[in-house]
Amino acid sequence: MSDDVLSAVVGLELECGLNSRGIEGYRKIMADPRSILLVAIDESAPENIVGVFSSIVILDELQIDNLAVSACARRQGIGQLLLKSTLTIAASLGAHAAVLEVRSANLPARRFYEKNDFIVVGIRKRYYTAPVDDALLLIREIQKPIINVS
Ligand SMILES: CC(C)(COP(=O)(O)OP(=O)(O)OC[C@H]1O[C@@H](n2cnc3c(N)ncnc32)[C@H](O)[C@@H]1OP(=O)(O)O)[C@@H](O)C(=O)NCCC(=O)NCCS
């Protein structure tokens, strides 16, 4: 993620019905070396941001803040690619687990994380507003990268 795509990133998050930290919020976390902020770009139209993944490694935990893929680009593996790339970077930064909260009514996201080995470990009743919904707390292990010493 770079400064020139921030307006598109925020636009995509809002278009996908997610809260966004906004351009100034992104500028702040971009300066934090623990942040892992990735975008997916349409190769045929590089100005077109089709995916965004924002997260931060706190101690040994990757905290996932937002993942959004443009409606016209879903079910093509973009979300999975962003997640896997982030997990690889997070492992190299010392993360052992990835965590996030998801709306219980957000079935596509729940299926996505289930497919990617996340499990539900908690529920926060009526955590979300507009509309009111429970938050599910999801977690998965992150394996250390395998280093070939031979
Ligand atoms: C959730 C989201 C990021 C998934 O992105 P995506 O690029 O479409 O996901 P992928 O193509 O990588 O899907 C990987 C797997 O996840 C599962 N999956 C993804 N979307 C699904 C859906 N709508 N219904 C059921 N399973 C789904 C499938 O197992 C899929 O594999 P398959 O296509 O081979 O069956 C996307 O739907 C999105 O942006 N939603 C709106 C924003 C949002 O809710 N973000 C999550 C906030 S926590």
Side-chain angles (χ1 to χ4, degrees), residues 1-149:
M1 195 180 292
S2 51
D3 204 79
D4 55 320
V5 299
L6 289 185
S7 150
V9 162
V10 171
L12 178 57
E13 287 175 323
L14 298 178
E15 192 183 295
C16 290
L18 302 175
N19 290 328
S20 175
R21 63 177 68 247
I23 292 180
E24 285 312 316
Y26 269 113
R27 285 195 175 125
K28 276 193 197 128
I29 60 162
M30 277 166 67
D32 188 329
R34 301 170 303 170
S35 294
I36 306 175
L37 304 166
L38 302 180
V39 290
I41 292 167
D42 180 350
E43 271 184 336
S44 59
E47 70 288 351
N48 195 9
I49 301 297
V50 292
V52 54
F53 198 109
S54 85
S55 57
I56 187 164
V57 174
I58 307 276
L59 301 176
D60 64 348
E61 193 172 85
L62 174 74
Q63 297 180 358
I64 298 175
D65 178 44
N66 257 359
L67 165 61
V69 172
S70 173
C72 60
R74 289 182 192 159
R75 300 304 288 268
Q76 295 173 34
I78 294 172
Q80 213 155 312
L81 185 62
L82 287 166
L83 173 65
K84 289 199 166 154
S85 307
T86 298
L87 293 177
T88 303
I89 300 168
S92 73
L93 294 177
H96 295 151
V99 295
L100 74 138
E101 275 149 8
V102 65
R103 278 181 177 270
S104 100
N106 189 348
L107 294 182
R110 287 177 59 182
R111 296 291 94 81
F112 172 84
Y113 285 113
E114 214 170 83
K115 167 90 182 267
N116 286 287
D117 303 322
F118 283 78
I119 54 165
V120 179
V121 288
I123 179 164
R124 296 189 218 280
K125 285 282 180 195
R126 301 174 67 82
Y127 178 80
Y128 293 108
T129 55
V132 171
D133 197 0
D134 299 338
L136 301 180
L137 181 61
L138 307 186
I139 193 165
R140 72 159 266 181
E141 263 184 50
I142 301 178
Q143 276 158 13
K144 287 188 188 150
I146 297 164
I147 300 164
N148 192 342
V149 290

